Amino acid sequence: MAHGIRVSTVNLSCPDPPALARFYAALLGMEITTEEPTWVVISGGGSLPLAFELDQHYQPPVWPSEPGKPPAQLHLEVQVDDLPGAVAHALEVGARLADHQPQDDVRVCLDPAGHPFCLWVDAGQ
């Protein structure tokens, strides 16, 4: 590791950090480890911790991007063993299936704040 530098957490801006943290904790089987009104962290389940930070001016991204509208700055890739089962679970805990699905072996979902995330299966397993 060069100079001790590593990614420790991924932060997502949102209008309601506690609500979005609860969604991702349920989706990913993680636990809330820090909870404040404007900052929540979840960790566990073998995943990198996720933090949710209040952005009072948050605007949901548009995916796929469109001129003049807020683009997604990043998205989470969530590896799953069972794609149909994972999609059903994501929808059950509050995700929406994106209208545009560019690949047959990946499902693009939107979290309750509108961030896109991908569910995918490693075909080489």
Side-chain angles (χ1 to χ4, degrees):
M1 187 171 2
H3 305 285
I5 298 172
R6 66 183 179 88
V7 175
S8 64
T9 309
V10 174
N11 295 344
L12 289 104
S13 297
C14 60
D16 186 346
L20 196 57
R22 285 190 296 277
F23 164 78
Y24 277 103
L27 178 71
L28 302 171
M30 298 171 77
E31 299 289 327
I32 293 174
T33 56
T34 302
E35 184 168 4
E36 299 171 10
T38 61
W39 175 259
V40 182
V41 179
I42 65 172
S43 62
S47 294
L48 191 65
L50 298 175
F52 305 90
E53 182 175 24
L54 177 65
D55 179 345
Q56 293 179 337
H57 305 289
Y58 177 79
Q59 294 181 17
V62 173
W63 190 90
S65 64
E66 296 178 18
K69 296 192 177 173
Q73 298 294 315
L74 65 89
H75 69 272
L76 300 177
E77 294 284 334
V78 180
Q79 186 175 359
V80 302
D81 295 329
D82 168 22
L83 188 56
V87 170
H89 173 65
L91 297 176
E92 182 179 295
V93 298
R96 293 178 289 128
L97 201 56
D99 291 335
H100 180 65
Q101 296 293 325
Q103 296 170 270
D104 290 337
D105 57 348
V106 175
R107 287 295 164 265
V108 180
C109 296
L110 305 174
D111 72 21
H115 302 103
F117 64 94
C118 294
L119 301 173
W120 67 281
V121 174
D122 183 356
Q125 284 187 345

